[in-house]
Amino acid sequence: MLKQSRKEQIIKIAAKLFKEKGYSAVTMRDIAKALDIKAASLYNHITSKQDILKYVIISLAEEFTGGMNIIYSSSESSIDKLNRIISLHVDIAYRNPFQMSSLNNDWMHLEKDVPYYLELRDSYEDNFRSIIKSGIASGQLANANSEVVLFSILSTLRNLYLWIPKKEDVNPEELSNNLSQVLINGIINK
């Protein structure tokens, strides 16, 4: 396993503290204390708490959007694309449960980066919606309200960060398969 850089350690600890206390309640001193260093030392690696939050949220949003763009532009069936989207969420949430908390709960604190974050989120959701609509139009998916389908699937996927850390023996591949069965089987046109 590769050794984490000090900046990566700071970001990981900060994301954990953001999840536990909420972004607004965490100070740079809290982060320094958790790392057992002086607060002034943090500034050798990071410029502000806002920069930490930006890195945590924007890097994940870009990872989701990049993954979605690949899935969306593939020639796979809508069902296969939905399966890949579920796997994408499981993979990212499994690797980044604390950062996922910030992505879901702290994005509004991004200040000047809120418009960029919303652009990424909207692009992601538009592609997701389009995959669902295409599946309905092609008869692969049941003729259901695409917004309800999107909301139902995304609500589950966006909250994986709450569930995954509570399970010590989570196998991401098995979880993806189980979620696909539960979330997609209900919307397959039979």
Side-chain angles (χ1 to χ4, degrees), residues 115-155:
Y116 178 59
Y117 166 75
L118 291 175
E119 179 184 315
L120 291 170
R121 186 179 74 182
D122 290 347
S123 171
Y124 182 90
E125 289 179 3
D126 288 346
N127 286 342
F128 204 147
R129 185 178 292 107
S130 181
I131 290 168
I132 293 167
K133 286 180 177 181
S134 177
I136 292 169
S138 69
Q140 294 173 47
L141 302 178
N143 189 11
N145 182 312
S146 60
E147 290 300 315
V148 172
V149 173
L150 177 67
F151 173 77
S152 300
I153 295 173
L154 264 180
S155 294

Side-chain angles (χ1 to χ4, degrees), residues 67-84:
M68 174 59 86
N69 288 340
I70 292 168
I71 293 166
Y72 179 75
S73 64
S74 76
S75 60
E76 296 173 301
S77 71
S78 295
I79 293 171
D80 288 339
K81 288 178 181 184
L82 291 173
N83 282 317
R84 286 186 58 202

